[in-house]
């Protein structure tokens, strides 16, 4: 089945540091999405990417859709305590609406 | 404008009982998706429905699980004869249209945490 390999699994960083996480796949995806999930809540969409090579920002977040369409990364600049949570990448194939999710990156920030 | 509403938020069932999870999509949304999340894992697609139609059920277990989205009322995910392995968070998402792009991505509800004892 389709799988997304997301790394790192978890990270513990100092407030103010930049964060980077990525997702790779052996299959091509035509859409890459990045979500954040807080404890006890549903995923909230952060950034959506629809074209290979696309680089998109949302405040302190920046994400890129890899040229090969098999990977994507998310960067968070100048992390703050409220950035803690679980970040998921998700991919969608050209036909069909279902999303394939990575296993998540747990972000913990030291103040 | 209320978001995707799921109820109950928490559900405890004994083995062998039935679990019914409800999802009311956002106003104006006619496409509903159900996902399951096991502890410390990502979400796994289960089923995609439009009003009165199942579009894609490729992620649904072949037995005991069913889903519907009637013309009137919420979407229902039904699990019969629950087992311990069904314990998970079940998330519903809704979108206004079946194609995707900017401003048409699905919004997720807060989930129903099912615990089977």
């Amino acid at each position: 089945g389709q799988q997304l390999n997301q790394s790192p699994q978890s990270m513990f960083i100092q407030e103010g540091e930049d964060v980077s996480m990525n997702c790779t796949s052996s299959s091509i995806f035509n859409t890459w999405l990045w979500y954040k999930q807080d404890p006890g809540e549903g995923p909230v969409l952060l950034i959506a990417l629809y074209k290979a090579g696309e680089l998109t920002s949302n405040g302190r977040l920046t994400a890129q859709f890899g040229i090969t369409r098999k990977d994507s990364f998310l960067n968070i600049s100048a992390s703050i305590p409220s950035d803690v949570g679980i970040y998921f990448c998700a991919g969608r194939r050209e036909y069909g609406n279902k999303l394939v999710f990575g296993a998540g990156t747990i972000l913990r920030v030291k103040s | 404008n209320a978001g995707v509403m799921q109820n109950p938020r928490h559900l405890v069932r004994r083995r062998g009982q039935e679990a019914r999870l409800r999802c009311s999509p956002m106003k104006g949304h006619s496409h509903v998706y159900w996902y399951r999340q096991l502890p410390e894992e990502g979400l796994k697609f289960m089923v995609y429905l439009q009003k009165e139609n199942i579009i894609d059920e490729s992620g649904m277990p072949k037995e005991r699980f069913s889903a519907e989205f009637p013309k009137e009322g919420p979407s229902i995910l039904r699990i019969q004869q629950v087992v311990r392995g069904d314990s998970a968070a079940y998330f519903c998402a809704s979108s206004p249209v079946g194609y995707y792009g900017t401003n048409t991505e699905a919004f997720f509800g807060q989930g129903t945490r099912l615990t089977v004892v």
Side-chain angles (χ1 to χ4, degrees):
Chain A
Q2 302 165 14
Q3 283 193 322
L4 294 184
N5 300 308
Q6 186 171 348
S7 65
Q9 189 174 9
S10 66
M11 37 196 329
F12 197 21
I13 63 170
Q14 198 78 28
E15 183 179 354
E17 286 184 346
D18 295 345
V19 173
S20 186
M21 59 192 78
N22 68 82
C23 263
T24 61
S25 171
S26 57
S27 304
I28 288 174
F29 287 91
N30 287 302
T31 301
W32 284 94
L33 306 169
W34 285 92
Y35 288 86
K36 181 179 182 231
Q37 185 178 30
D38 291 325
E41 301 293 329
V44 175
L45 182 64
L46 299 174
I47 292 182
L49 301 155
Y50 300 106
K51 294 180 184 176
E54 180 180 358
L55 183 72
T56 297
S57 292
N58 177 9
R60 292 179 295 107
L61 279 60
T62 301
Q64 183 155 32
F65 191 147
I67 287 288
T68 64
R69 296 195 287 165
K70 293 182 179 181
D71 63 306
S72 176
F73 72 74
L74 173 71
N75 286 343
I76 305 173
S77 63
S79 56
I80 58 178
S82 62
D83 288 336
V84 299
I86 306 176
Y87 292 79
F88 290 100
C89 63
R92 183 166 51 219
R93 300 293 294 274
E94 181 171 4
Y95 300 110
N97 295 63
K98 61 186 177 187
L99 297 175
V100 178
F101 280 81
T105 293
I106 302 172
L107 181 61
R108 300 182 179 90
V109 179
K110 290 185 282 188
S111 356
Chain B
N1 186 16
V4 179
M5 304 300 291
Q6 290 189 249
N7 67 81
R9 291 291 306 276
H10 300 273
L11 182 62
V12 179
R13 284 287 178 265
R14 296 186 185 280
R15 280 177 295 171
Q17 290 185 319
E18 178 180 288
R20 291 170 71 88
L21 288 61
R22 294 175 188 77
C23 169
S24 295
M26 286 182 68
K27 187 176 181 181
H29 287 195
S30 58
H31 298 254
V32 164
Y33 316 81
W34 285 93
Y35 288 81
R36 175 164 62 178
Q37 184 179 35
L38 295 172
E40 300 184 10
E41 292 189 10
L43 283 72
K44 297 280 195 302
F45 170 81
M46 298 182 76
V47 63
Y48 162 36
L49 310 104
Q50 269 183 278
K51 284 285 188 181
E52 300 183 277
N53 290 308
I54 296 175
I55 307 301
D56 181 352
E57 57 181 348
S58 58
M60 287 280 269
K62 296 212 179 326
E63 296 177 346
R64 301 187 298 109
F65 285 71
S66 63
E68 63 176 10
F69 188 16
K71 187 176 179 181
E72 301 291 338
S75 175
I76 305 286
L77 180 67
R78 184 179 174 209
I79 312 173
Q80 295 178 292
Q81 299 176 321
V82 296
V83 301
R84 288 239 171 94
D86 297 333
S87 295
Y90 292 83
F91 290 96
C92 168
S94 75
S95 65
V97 293
Y99 58 88
Y100 42 86
T102 306
N103 298 325
T104 61
E105 294 294 341
F107 288 86
F108 281 85
Q110 292 180 301
T112 293
R113 271 97 187 141
L114 172 66
T115 302
V116 179
V117 297

